[in-house]
Amino acid sequence: MTLRDYIIEGQNILKEAGISDYENDTRVLAMFAFGISYSDMFMKMTEEMNEEDAEFYLDCINLRSTHMPCQYITGSQNFMGYEFITEDGVLIPRQETELLVEKALELTSGLKDCKALDMCTGSGCIGISYELKRREDGHKGDEIHLADISDDAIYVAEKNKYKLGAKCSIIKTDLFENIKDKYDIIMSNPPYIRTSDIDDIMEEVRDFEPRLALDGDEDGLSFYKRLAEQARDYLYKDGILIMEIGFDQYEEVKELLINNKFYNISLIKDYSGLDRIVTAYASEHDY
Ligand code: GLN
């Protein structure tokens, strides 16, 4: 069978399984399983495929038809231009989270030896890409810490650290329990979905991504409460807290931050126009 035959077969299987982006996902899995690039794919359409690769390709298609996300099948997701390993037990890095890293880089661009913490690091995507970008920008004296409670996350973050050559320390901790230092910036994309909403989200997320990384308790706000209450003790005087939030959580998160003496609270919307990133300062200042 030719590549074209396999692509048509893959598309039919995924369409039948109700995968909405079946055309794109078939291409992604064909490139992965046959080890070909995007442009190769068009050149090789009429070529006969090797049977072993084809068997692997159909296994991938069958996994996707169970609604397993492509990123868990291929084991990777690009984030900020770096290929991150994605495995069971960690959230797949999301495009909107890149905004958090971009804003964190911008807010700390004038700082020489920056100390930064990525709290609830998961795959490590926030802290690792922040460190790599800072170093590419010529900053050499930074100290970056990545923290998570989950052993799976620590394991994947370690793998990403070595794969991407990042310079950072990874700490296993329940929020600030084992954190001893103070930081210029604390970045976090904590779990923020209301427990009662989890059953209604896409199968891909609900059945395959770790609940620990999604569930923000009854009101979805439990991590923001704990971060707002505790983060000031781990920030330098002019330190910054930057967090990703759910599209309908800004007012409540803002109030939590104000009640815990954070200042200059501001909001950044994502590319879909939804409330997404909150920044706050540990002391009052004209910024
Ligand atoms: N920091 C990771 C990410 O942004 C994991 C977030 C989480 O597990 N809630 O993808």
Side-chain angles (χ1 to χ4, degrees), residues 207-260:
D207 296 345
F208 293 95
E209 297 206 79
R211 217 150 256 244
L212 191 64
L214 300 168
D215 193 339
D217 284 345
E218 224 166 285
D219 59 3
L221 297 170
S222 71
F223 287 89
Y224 301 115
K225 284 185 195 140
R226 294 170 68 193
L227 286 166
E229 281 163 14
Q230 299 172 33
R232 279 176 58 88
D233 295 339
Y234 300 89
L235 282 169
Y236 289 128
K237 197 171 133 284
D238 293 330
I240 304 163
L241 175 63
I242 179 166
M243 303 184 291
E244 180 168 324
I245 57 167
F247 71 97
D248 56 357
Q249 294 174 324
Y250 180 57
E251 289 307 324
E252 288 151 314
V253 171
K254 184 177 173 185
E255 202 179 310
L256 285 169
L257 290 167
I258 291 172
N259 293 343
N260 286 284

Side-chain angles (χ1 to χ4, degrees), residues 92-198:
I92 297 164
R94 303 292 203 270
Q95 210 194 345
E96 55 268 29
T97 307
E98 291 184 343
L99 276 176
L100 186 158
V101 179
E102 281 159 12
K103 189 68 189 176
L105 288 166
E106 181 193 317
L107 292 174
T108 53
S109 62
L111 273 181
K112 242 188 104 220
D113 300 331
C114 181
K115 248 186 112 164
L117 172 66
D118 172 8
M119 178 56 83
C120 309
T121 195
S123 63
C125 62
I126 294 176
I128 290 174
S129 55
Y130 177 85
E131 194 280 324
L132 294 170
K133 291 281 177 210
R134 288 267 308 174
R135 204 142 36 93
E136 282 170 22
D137 288 344
H139 294 284
K140 295 204 173 71
D142 289 357
E143 203 180 319
I144 316 289
H145 295 167
L146 276 51
D148 208 287
I149 191 174
S150 142
D151 286 325
D152 288 346
I154 301 280
Y155 174 67
V156 178
E158 286 283 359
K159 287 214 276 194
N160 278 318
K161 168 184 164 173
Y162 289 107
K163 174 176 188 265
L164 296 166
K167 290 186 180 158
C168 54
S169 315
I170 302 175
I171 306 163
K172 180 174 158 71
T173 174
D174 182 4
L175 286 189
F176 293 101
E177 209 171 86
N178 302 328
I179 302 292
K180 307 271 177 290
D181 296 14
K182 282 191 185 276
Y183 299 91
D184 295 295
I185 185 161
I186 297 177
M187 309 175 274
S188 186
N189 176 22
Y192 58 71
I193 301 178
R194 286 179 206 88
T195 309
S196 58
D197 288 347
I198 292 190

Side-chain angles (χ1 to χ4, degrees), residues 33 46 59 117 159 199 204 226 243 268 287:
T46 52
D59 286 345
L117 172 66
K159 287 214 276 194
D199 286 337
E204 273 73 356
R226 294 170 68 193
M243 303 184 291
I268 300 154
Y287 294 98

Side-chain angles (χ1 to χ4, degrees), residues 1-15 22-31 34 36-38 40-47 49 54 57-58 61:
M1 270 166 66
T2 64
L3 177 58
R4 175 172 286 117
D5 298 330
Y6 282 113
I7 288 197
I8 292 170
E9 184 175 351
Q11 287 182 350
N12 288 338
I13 295 173
L14 295 191
K15 196 173 172 187
Y22 63 91
E23 284 178 331
N24 174 66
D25 292 358
T26 304
R27 276 197 296 270
V28 167
L29 296 175
M31 289 191 287
F34 293 116
I36 52 179
S37 67
Y38 189 74
D40 267 357
M41 199 168 46
F42 296 96
M43 318 243 289
K44 293 184 191 245
M45 275 300 177
T46 52
E47 267 182 37
M49 294 289 111
Y57 164 76
L58 290 172
I61 290 285

